[in-house]
Amino acid sequence: MLLKKQKFPYKRGLTNKKKEMPTIICTCCAQLFFKKSTVHELTLKTDTSLRISDVCIYRSHLQENESGNVCSTCANHLKKGKVPHFAVVNGLLFEPLPEELTGLTTLEERLVSARIPFMQIRELGYQKQLGLKGNCVNVPIDINKTVTCLPRMDSEDDTLLVQLMRRMNEEDDLTDQQETLLTSGFVADSGIKIAPGEGNIPLSLTLDEDMDVLAFPTAYGGKQRIFKVKYTPVEMAKAETRSHDRR
C-alpha cells in the first residue's frame, strides 16, 4: 500500500514570512518595524495636552506634508498622553557625520579612533556559532602619534599597505592588509606597521566614559548625544540595533 506524501501548505507561508523584513519607519522612535506592528498617525487619538507633531518629528523619509506610521509601543504611550521612552525627541538620533569621517575603511577608522576595542571572538560548540570569550577592553590611543604618519600635503600622498599591530615585535597583525594614504617619506616601499596602543594600559568598558563615541567615530561622529531620559545599556543596544540609521 502506497502512502501519499503529506503536504504542508503552511510551510510555504512560513517561508514567505521569513523573507519579509522590517521596513516601516516609526516617525516617533525612528526604528524599523513590520507593517503589522505599526498604526497610521491619523488613526491615533491622543490626550489633548500632547500633539503628534511635537513628538513624531522623524520625517526625513517622508514627502512634504505626508503622514507616517507609528509603532504599537509608541502609539500606546501617545494615547495616554505620554512621550514614548524611545522617542527621538529624547536625544536618540545620531549626529550628522562630518565629511572627513564618511567613507572610511575599517583600518582608517582604527587609525583615527581614540580607543581600540580588544575582544576574543571564537567558535562555540559544534554549530560553529561565534561568541565572545574573556573580557572586552578598550586601549587608549594617542592620536597625535598616529597622525604624524599621515599626509600633510596633497603632494605627499601615496598608496601603501598598512598593518595595525598589537605590538611591533609580533608577527600577526590585527587587521588584514588594507590600502590607505600615507606619507611615502616616512615608510618603506613595502608598507608600514603601526602599533598605536603599545604600552598603554587597557581600560574597562564599565569605567571608560564615552567609550562608544571614542571607539567608533564613523558611527557617532565624535559627538556624545545628550539624553533627556536615562537608558540602560540593554535599552541603548536595542534602540541602536533597530534604528533606521544603519551606520
Side-chain angles (χ1 to χ4, degrees):
M1 181 178 178
L2 297 177
L3 297 178
K4 293 184 178 180
K5 186 177 180 180
Q6 294 182 352
K7 296 182 179 180
F8 300 94
Y10 65 88
K11 285 188 175 181
R12 181 179 301 176
L14 291 176
T15 304
N16 294 334
K17 288 185 177 180
K18 288 181 180 179
K19 297 180 181 179
E20 296 179 1
M21 298 293 292
T23 57
I24 305 301
I25 305 173
C26 175
T27 57
C28 183
C29 62
Q31 299 180 14
L32 296 173
F33 294 91
F34 292 99
K35 186 176 181 179
K36 64 179 181 180
S37 301
T38 61
V39 295
H40 203 272
E41 289 179 350
L42 300 179
T43 62
L44 290 178
K45 295 181 180 180
T46 63
D47 189 275
T48 55
S49 61
L50 184 66
R51 294 188 303 176
I52 296 294
S53 58
D54 295 337
V55 182
C56 302
I57 62 173
Y58 190 80
R59 301 182 177 277
S60 60
H61 60 290
L62 301 175
Q63 300 293 334
E64 187 177 359
N65 298 327
E66 181 183 1
S67 57
N69 293 62
V70 180
C71 67
S72 57
T73 303
C74 293
N76 292 333
H77 284 80
L78 293 173
K79 291 178 182 178
K80 299 177 182 178
K82 300 180 180 179
V83 178
H85 188 61
F86 290 106
V88 294
V89 294
N90 290 330
L92 283 175
L93 280 181
F94 287 109
E95 293 288 342
L97 280 181
E99 184 179 356
E100 295 79 8
L101 294 178
T102 56
L104 294 183
T105 63
T106 303
L107 178 57
E108 291 170 343
E109 182 182 12
R110 292 300 103 216
L111 293 176
V112 298
S113 301
R115 298 287 188 274
I116 295 183
F118 282 88
M119 63 194 74
Q120 294 186 35
I121 302 178
R122 298 184 179 181
E123 293 181 349
L124 304 177
Y126 67 93
Q127 294 181 347
K128 304 302 181 181
Q129 294 183 355
L130 300 180
L132 292 177
K133 185 176 180 62
N135 297 329
C136 180
V137 296
N138 278 344
V139 178
I141 303 300
D142 185 4
I143 303 180
N144 293 328
K145 295 180 180 179
T146 305
V147 297
T148 54
C149 300
L150 300 178
R152 312 306 299 175
M153 300 176 59
D154 294 340
S155 59
E156 298 175 348
D157 289 352
D158 196 4
T159 302
L160 296 172
L161 291 176
V162 178
Q163 289 181 331
L164 185 63
M165 312 294 295
R166 185 191 301 268
R167 297 183 182 88
M168 293 301 296
N169 57 357
E170 290 186 354
E171 295 295 334
D172 298 332
D173 57 349
L174 298 179
T175 60
D176 296 332
Q177 291 185 351
Q178 302 185 33
E179 292 184 353
T180 185
L181 292 178
L182 290 174
T183 306
S184 58
F186 292 87
V187 296
D189 295 337
S190 59
I192 182 174
K193 291 184 178 181
I194 300 178
E198 185 176 11
N200 295 338
I201 300 176
L203 302 175
S204 173
L205 294 180
T206 58
L207 301 179
D208 189 11
E209 296 183 0
D210 303 334
M211 63 91 181
D212 49 354
V213 178
L214 298 174
F216 303 100
T218 58
Y220 299 94
K223 297 181 180 180
Q224 182 61 275
R225 293 171 291 179
I226 301 177
F227 303 117
K228 296 181 180 179
V229 298
K230 187 176 181 180
Y231 295 102
T232 64
V234 175
E235 291 175 338
M236 287 298 303
K238 182 188 298 184
E240 294 179 358
T241 302
R242 298 191 305 192
S243 175
H244 167 63
D245 193 340
R246 308 309 297 171
R247 67 175 72 175

